[in-house]
Amino acid sequence: MSSDRTYHHGDLRRAVLSAALDVIRAEGPAALSLRDLARRAGVSHAAPAHHFKDRTGLLTAVAAEGYGLFADALADAPDLRERGVRYVRFAAEHPAHFQVMFQPDLYRADDPDLLAAKERASVALRAGVTGLPSGGGDDARLTGVAAWSLAHGFATLLLSGNLSEAVGDRDPEEVFRALATPVFAPDGPN
Amino acid sequence: MSSDRTYHHGDLRRAVLSAALDVIRAEGPAALSLRDLARRAGVSHAAPAHHFKDRTGLLTAVAAEGYGLFADALADAPDLRERGVRYVRFAAEHPAHFQVMFQPDLYRADDPDLLAAKERASVALRAGVTGLPSGGGDDARLTGVAAWSLAHGFATLLLSGNLSEAVGDRDPEEVFRALATPVFAPDGPN
DNA sequence: GCTTCAATCTTGCCAGTGACTAGATGTTCC
DNA sequence: GGAACATCTAGTCACTGGCAAGATTGAAGC
C-alpha cells in the first residue's frame, strides 16, 4: 500500500476484487457496494466500473477467479474421497469465491472467461469417476453425482453455519473424511 | 384479486409474501425490491413496511415460513433415504423458500418465529437417525450429517442448475432415490 | 524531445431504493 | 356514534448503480 497516491492506482482491479472478497466473506454478496469498494481503495466512485463494467461484472470476475482456483485445488487428487476432502477445503479456505460460484443469478453465466475456468473445474471434478470399479456406465455417473452432492452439501452446510454443532472445534476436513470413508472409500472398511 | 380496490388491501401480508416468492424464484433474492412488491400489490411504497418492518424482515418471514413448510414436509418419513427424497422434493417445490433458508446473512437468525420453525424442522430432520443399526453414538451422528449433506448437496446443485445434464428430463426425486439407495439404504444391497 | 493515443481515473448527474415520519383512512368494539 | 387501533398514503433523505463528459497519466511512434 503506497501512501503517496498517484492518479493511477497501480492495481485497482486486484484491490477492488480483494476488498469485495472481504465484504462477501463477512456479510455476504448482498452487502456488496461498488461505491464502498471504491472508498476502500481510495479512488472515486466510478473508477471500478472501468475494470468490471458493473456490479454483475465484478461478481462475474469473482466467480471466474473462483472456478480457476477451484480447478487448481481439485487437480491431481488421488481418489474420489480425497477429491471430496479438497472440495470441502476449498470452500473453507475460499468461502467468498465458493458462495458466488454457486449462485448463478449473481453473475453472467455466459462470460467467456468464466466459462473457460468453469470448464477446467468441471474436467478436474469429473476426472477419475470413470475409473471406479463399477465401470463407466450410468452407475458411474450416479456415483459421481452422489460424491459431488455429498461434498457440496457438506461444504454449503458448513459455510451457512449449520454444522457448527456437529463439527465442533474439529477440523471440518477431518470430519468430512470420517463420514465419507464408509460411503465411497476406495479401499476402506465394509 | 378484487378490482374495486379499497383503502385496506385485505391481505397485503400474504400478497407481498407471494410476490416476493415469485421474484426470488425467477431472479434470486438479490432482485427483491420492496417498492416493486408494493407496486405489484397495488399499494403505496411504504405499505409493506407495516407488515415486515424492513427488507430483512420480509426475508426473515420467508425463511420462517420455509422452515415451517419444511418441517411439515419431512414429518413421518419412513426411513432415512425417504427423508432425503422429501428433502429434495421440498427444494424443488419451494425453491424460493429453500434458497433463503440456507443463506442466513439474508435474514435475522435470532427472530423468535424463525427460531421456533427452525427447531421444528431440526427435530423432524434428526428423528430416526438414532434408530439406525450403528446405534446412537458418534457413528450415528456422522451418518446423519452424511445423509443431510447428500440430500442438501443434491438439492442445492439442482437449484443452481448444475445437475441439468446429469438429471436430464427425469424426475430429480427418482434420480436422487437411485443414487442414494447404495449409499444408505435401510435394506438395500451391500 | 515531442506528439499522439489509449488507458485510467474524476466529477457531475439521474433514476431507483430502503428507511423514516407525519398524517389520512378504515375497522372494531364498546 | 365515538374512541382506539390497525392499516395505508404521501413526503422526505441518504445511498446506490449506472451513465456521460472531461482530466490525468503512461506508452508508443516519429
Side-chain angles (χ1 to χ4, degrees):
Chain A
M1 176 155 312
S2 58
S3 55
D4 50 340
R5 281 270 300 99
T6 57
Y7 193 91
H8 281 55
H9 180 280
D11 197 358
L12 181 58
R13 184 184 158 88
R14 180 97 301 268
V16 169
L17 219 37
S18 295
L21 293 172
D22 287 346
V23 172
I24 296 171
R25 195 182 316 119
E27 307 170 62
L32 260 195
S33 153
L34 286 181
R35 290 174 111 97
D36 177 48
L37 298 179
R39 278 190 293 270
R40 289 175 188 235
V43 296
S44 84
H45 62 92
H50 186 81
H51 296 275
F52 302 104
K53 173 102 176 153
D54 54 15
R55 212 185 102 104
T56 305
L58 169 60
L59 288 165
T60 303
V62 170
E65 184 178 77
Y67 274 113
L69 294 169
F70 194 46
D72 296 343
L74 294 180
D76 301 324
D79 55 43
L80 200 55
R81 187 190 61 173
E82 212 54 30
R83 199 191 317 286
V85 170
R86 295 190 186 190
Y87 198 109
V88 171
R89 184 187 304 154
F90 175 84
E93 288 179 350
H94 304 280
H97 285 109
F98 190 86
Q99 269 188 73
V100 175
M101 285 159 60
F102 290 97
Q103 281 187 269
D105 45 271
L106 290 180
Y107 53 82
R108 270 180 282 271
D110 58 347
D111 178 81
D113 291 350
L114 182 133
L115 281 178
K118 187 171 181 177
E119 178 57 25
R120 276 213 306 135
S122 184
V123 168
L125 195 60
R126 268 197 289 264
V129 173
T130 53
L132 282 176
S134 49
D138 201 57
D139 269 13
R141 171 180 255 178
L142 277 186
T143 304
V145 175
W148 191 10
S149 295
L150 188 70
H152 188 76
F154 190 90
T156 49
L157 288 173
L158 185 69
L159 291 193
S160 58
N162 284 98
L163 295 184
S164 51
E165 189 188 349
V167 169
D169 52 358
R170 286 175 291 184
D171 185 357
E173 281 183 45
E174 290 309 319
V175 175
F176 178 80
R177 206 191 305 268
L179 70 82
T181 298
V183 176
F184 51 66
D187 54 342
N190 281 31
Chain B
M1 172 152 320
S2 56
S3 57
D4 49 341
R5 281 271 297 100
T6 57
Y7 192 92
H8 280 56
H9 180 280
D11 196 359
L12 182 59
R13 184 186 159 86
R14 179 98 303 265
V16 170
L17 218 37
S18 296
L21 293 171
D22 287 344
V23 172
I24 295 171
R25 195 181 315 117
E27 307 171 62
L32 260 195
S33 153
L34 286 182
R35 291 173 111 99
D36 178 47
L37 298 179
R39 277 191 293 270
R40 290 175 187 234
V43 295
S44 84
H45 62 96
H50 186 79
H51 296 275
F52 303 103
K53 172 104 177 152
D54 55 15
R55 211 184 105 103
T56 304
L58 168 61
L59 287 164
T60 304
V62 169
E65 184 178 75
Y67 274 113
L69 294 169
F70 194 45
D72 296 343
L74 293 181
D76 302 324
D79 54 43
L80 200 55
R81 187 189 61 171
E82 213 53 31
R83 201 191 316 287
V85 171
R86 297 191 185 191
Y87 198 108
V88 171
R89 184 186 304 156
F90 175 83
E93 288 179 351
H94 304 279
H97 286 108
F98 191 86
Q99 268 188 75
V100 175
M101 284 159 61
F102 290 97
Q103 280 187 271
D105 45 272
L106 291 180
Y107 53 84
R108 268 179 283 272
D110 59 346
D111 178 80
D113 290 351
L114 182 133
L115 280 178
K118 187 170 181 178
E119 178 57 25
R120 274 215 306 136
S122 184
V123 168
L125 194 61
R126 267 196 289 263
V129 173
T130 52
L132 281 178
S134 50
D138 199 55
D139 270 10
R141 169 181 258 177
L142 277 186
T143 303
V145 174
W148 189 11
S149 295
L150 188 70
H152 188 75
F154 189 89
T156 50
L157 288 173
L158 185 68
L159 291 193
S160 59
N162 283 98
L163 295 184
S164 50
E165 188 187 349
V167 169
D169 50 358
R170 287 174 291 183
D171 185 358
E173 281 183 43
E174 290 309 319
V175 176
F176 178 79
R177 207 190 305 269
L179 72 82
T181 299
V183 176
F184 51 66
D187 53 345
N190 282 33

